[in-house]
Amino acid sequence: MQCVQPGMYVTPDMFERHLAFLSAEFQLISFSELLTLWTARRWDPMARYCVMTFDDGWLDTYRHAWPALQRHRIPATVFLPTAFIGTDRWFWPDRLGLIMQSHFRGALPERQNRFRRLVKNFPWLMPAIDAFERGDTDAIVECWKVQPQEQIDACLEEWLAESQTAFPSQRVLMNWEEACEMSSSGVEFGSHSVSHRIMTTLSPPDVAREAAESMAMLREKGLSPIPVFCYPNGNWSPLVADQVREAGYRAATTTQFGHEEGKPASWFALKRINIHQGIAYNESLLAFHLAGFNGWL
């Protein structure tokens, strides 16, 4: 059973309602069309444009979001972390969430002893001790994001063994056949890196490899990708942006909340508006959020 963070989902029914609202209120265009509007200087300042993007390549995007997009005839872009697609691998926050569920089913003394053993081997866990005691997975995820991936993986493996968690093997991300099926029907694909590691924690050569190799894989799989990079977790810097630009991309997206107009302040720091069930569980709240209140982009 997958552990889903609160800010990471929308129910199928609510997603349908979101699409109906967006179709009525906005001119929905593809990311390629957006790039053309900017480069050809054909931006209509009186229009209300909207570009739909999806990160990570979740299987639910294929099973639920894509059919709804087809029914509403809405274009969309999906950003894929290429090393994960077509595998049964889970992102580490989801692995952490599942281990946390198992951890808190144990008795308190057992949990405390287990945590003390983990801290002994991984001292960087200490700042998250309060979050552990509360069982606040989201807070722990934020604390862990600054750690090298190797440390996170090692800690999770030890915790998994300590808690004797039976980790499920079901696939949670789409495979390449599903991505190609979506691509043949007009869905656009861009890069979300190879490994989904946070780019600001990597060296410039590693960032360059992540950018170049992910695009090469998308092309090899026949997706005709758009030249847009999506920074994992939204983390970027001018140095990271330079590496992405030099890899041949024309633009990159962040998770910074905001709207873009006819001339982006930075093509490699494009703002977006994140939508999830907790902040947009009806059309009024969706409109409120899109207007720039109560959320991030």
Side-chain angles (χ1 to χ4, degrees), residues 143-206:
C143 290
W144 285 28
K145 282 178 179 178
V146 299
Q147 299 300 323
Q149 189 64 49
E150 296 76 14
Q151 281 289 304
I152 292 173
D153 290 340
C155 183
L156 287 177
E157 287 303 316
E158 182 167 323
W159 199 1
L160 186 68
E162 284 269 3
S163 63
Q164 299 182 333
T165 302
F167 202 79
S169 60
Q170 81 251 33
R171 181 167 59 94
V172 296
L173 301 173
M174 65 180 67
N175 60 33
W176 291 110
E177 290 76 15
E178 290 157 347
C180 286
E181 184 183 353
M182 295 172 72
S183 178
S184 66
S185 295
V187 174
E188 296 183 332
F189 286 87
S191 169
H192 201 27
S193 80
V194 173
S195 66
H196 203 258
R197 289 178 293 174
I198 293 176
M199 296 293 102
T200 50
T201 68
L202 305 182
S203 67
D206 282 342

Side-chain angles (χ1 to χ4, degrees), residues 2 57-60 87-90 170-174:
Q2 188 179 0
W58 295 102
L59 185 56
D60 284 351
T87 74
D88 60 1
R89 294 174 62 188
W90 288 27
Q170 81 251 33
R171 181 167 59 94
V172 296
L173 301 173
M174 65 180 67

Side-chain angles (χ1 to χ4, degrees), residues 33-267:
E33 290 174 302
L34 176 65
L35 296 178
T36 298
L37 289 176
W38 282 338
T39 55
R41 298 182 180 180
R42 294 206 300 262
W43 183 275
D44 181 357
M46 301 303 295
R48 291 195 292 184
Y49 300 110
C50 178
V51 176
M52 299 277 293
T53 63
F54 298 82
D55 293 359
D56 301 332
W58 295 102
L59 185 56
D60 284 351
T61 302
Y62 171 78
R63 288 180 174 170
H64 301 296
W66 181 43
L69 290 165
Q70 289 179 302
R71 285 192 292 272
H72 290 267
R73 299 184 179 180
I74 293 175
T77 297
V78 180
F79 294 106
L80 299 180
T82 55
F84 286 80
I85 302 306
T87 74
D88 60 1
R89 294 174 62 188
W90 288 27
F91 298 121
W92 70 260
D94 302 294
R95 293 162 58 203
L96 170 64
L98 195 69
I99 295 170
M100 286 280 289
Q101 287 180 347
S102 175
H103 175 78
F104 278 89
R105 283 196 290 267
L108 180 60
E110 176 190 352
R111 298 201 309 262
Q112 291 173 333
N113 289 335
R114 185 182 300 142
F115 183 68
R116 279 194 288 267
R117 289 193 294 269
L118 283 171
V119 170
K120 182 179 179 180
N121 293 331
F122 304 97
W124 50 267
L125 289 173
M126 281 303 297
I129 188 168
D130 290 340
F132 272 105
E133 291 176 352
R134 297 192 310 270
D136 189 343
T137 302
D138 286 349
I140 297 171
V141 167
E142 291 305 312
C143 290
W144 285 28
K145 282 178 179 178
V146 299
Q147 299 300 323
Q149 189 64 49
E150 296 76 14
Q151 281 289 304
I152 292 173
D153 290 340
C155 183
L156 287 177
E157 287 303 316
E158 182 167 323
W159 199 1
L160 186 68
E162 284 269 3
S163 63
Q164 299 182 333
T165 302
F167 202 79
S169 60
Q170 81 251 33
R171 181 167 59 94
V172 296
L173 301 173
M174 65 180 67
N175 60 33
W176 291 110
E177 290 76 15
E178 290 157 347
C180 286
E181 184 183 353
M182 295 172 72
S183 178
S184 66
S185 295
V187 174
E188 296 183 332
F189 286 87
S191 169
H192 201 27
S193 80
V194 173
S195 66
H196 203 258
R197 289 178 293 174
I198 293 176
M199 296 293 102
T200 50
T201 68
L202 305 182
S203 67
D206 282 342
V207 173
R209 279 192 290 272
E210 291 276 341
E213 292 178 9
S214 57
M215 179 58 70
M217 179 59 71
L218 294 173
R219 288 180 176 138
E220 179 183 319
K221 295 298 183 179
L223 296 182
S224 301
I226 59 171
V228 181
F229 190 85
C230 177
Y231 304 114
N233 197 54
N235 295 63
W236 73 285
S237 69
L239 181 58
V240 168
D242 287 343
Q243 298 299 319
V244 171
R245 183 185 296 106
E246 289 174 12
Y249 292 85
R250 292 176 55 198
T253 65
T254 70
T255 53
Q256 181 185 352
F257 185 98
H259 306 86
E260 296 292 352
E261 299 185 357
K263 186 178 181 181
S266 172
W267 283 63

